[in-house]
């Protein structure tokens, strides 16, 4: 499989703590994206990092990318109960019109 | 905010029946996708579509599946003879730029999904 894989599969933290999720992938990519899915809903784009970038910030989100290790991490700082959702990384291999998603990390933020 | 809309939100069908899932992508988007997600599991790529033809498809997308864009706005996924294992959420997505483009702008916009239950 060329899909990205997230770990951990599940993460439970207290409100205010930071949450870190990791993603590993297998192919060369143009960019890597993170998406969020609330239970039973569609996926919503959070942040995109290009293959020539190492770190990117957006609000409380921080994404890193290490293309030599084919891995990425998503950090959510000062988590809130509303951050409870599943988080997926998505990769787009060069010259292919498709995006691969992993199995996701299910984040539970306890109030 | 432009949206991708999907219908029906939930369909229950008998095994062996044909099902058509419908999607209206964002109007200025050019690339269209179907994904499926079996309950609580990974989001699996089925097919991508551009310029009125399939550009990529996965091993899941066998002869039972077909896609078309009949009228320039709707994008449909047809399952010819449903099996129990076709039960899943089916998501349509669209983007303005190809998944293979090195532009950093190929962000997918997803619909809310169609839940298919095959009995």
């Amino acid at each position: 499989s060329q899909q990205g894989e997230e770990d951990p599969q599940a993460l439970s933290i207290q409100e205010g703590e930071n949450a870190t999720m990791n993603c590993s992938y297998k192919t060369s990519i143009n960019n890597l994206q993170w998406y969020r899915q609330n239970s039973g809903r569609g996926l919503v784009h959070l942040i995109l990092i290009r293959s020539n970038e190492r770190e990117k910030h957006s609000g409380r989100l921080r994404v890193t990318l290490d293309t030599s290790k084919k891995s990425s991490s998503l950090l959510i700082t000062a988590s809130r109960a509303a951050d409870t959702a599943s988080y997926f990384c998505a990769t787009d291999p060069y010259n292919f019109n498709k995006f691969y998603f992993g199995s996701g990390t299910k984040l539970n933020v306890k109030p | 905010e432009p949206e991708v809309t999907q219908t029906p939100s939930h369909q229950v069908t008998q095994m062996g029946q044909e099902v058509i899932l419908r999607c209206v992508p964002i109007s200025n988007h050019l690339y269209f996708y179907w994904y499926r997600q079996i309950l609580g599991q990974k989001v699996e790529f089925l097919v991508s579509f551009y310029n009125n033809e399939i550009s990529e498809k996965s091993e899941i997308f066998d002869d039972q599946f077909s896609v078309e864009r009949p009228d320039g706005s709707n994008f449909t996924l047809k399952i010819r003879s449903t099996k129990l294992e076709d039960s899943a959420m089916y998501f349509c997505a669209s983007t303005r730029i190809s998944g293979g483009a090195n532009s950093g702008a190929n962000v997918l916009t997803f619909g809310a999904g169609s839940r298919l239950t095959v009995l």
Side-chain angles (χ1 to χ4, degrees), chain B residues 25-78:
Chain B
I26 293 173
S27 60
N28 66 346
H29 283 189
L30 302 175
Y31 297 85
F32 313 114
Y33 306 81
W34 283 102
Y35 285 83
R36 80 171 186 192
Q37 184 180 35
I38 294 170
L39 187 62
Q41 296 184 30
K42 61 178 65 174
V43 178
E44 298 175 298
F45 169 77
L46 292 178
V47 66
S48 57
F49 192 86
Y50 169 70
N51 199 25
N52 284 322
E53 60 183 28
I54 290 173
S55 51
E56 301 284 344
K57 62 182 180 179
S58 72
E59 58 275 10
I60 301 169
F61 194 87
D62 60 21
D63 292 344
Q64 292 285 77
F65 291 89
S66 62
V67 289
E68 63 175 3
R69 197 149 189 252
D71 56 13
S73 62
N74 289 286
F75 177 50
T76 62
L77 174 69
K78 182 192 289 186

Side-chain angles (χ1 to χ4, degrees), chain A residues 15-72:
Chain A
E15 213 166 22
E17 293 180 340
N18 294 343
T20 300
M21 290 158 265
N22 303 296
C23 168
S24 59
Y25 58 92
K26 294 182 181 179
T27 65
S28 296
I29 57 172
N30 288 307
N31 62 61
L32 185 142
Q33 305 179 31
W34 285 90
Y35 288 78
R36 168 192 167 126
Q37 184 184 35
N38 287 355
S39 181
R41 307 294 299 274
L43 284 81
V44 175
H45 176 259
L46 293 175
I47 192 166
L48 177 152
I49 185 165
R50 298 191 194 206
S51 59
N52 61 353
E53 297 176 313
R54 292 295 165 257
E55 188 170 311
K56 199 157 182 184
H57 296 254
S58 176
R60 293 184 296 114
L61 304 180
R62 173 178 167 253
V63 171
T64 62
L65 180 64
D66 186 336
T67 52
S68 67
K69 294 181 180 175
K70 292 188 168 59
S71 68
S72 172

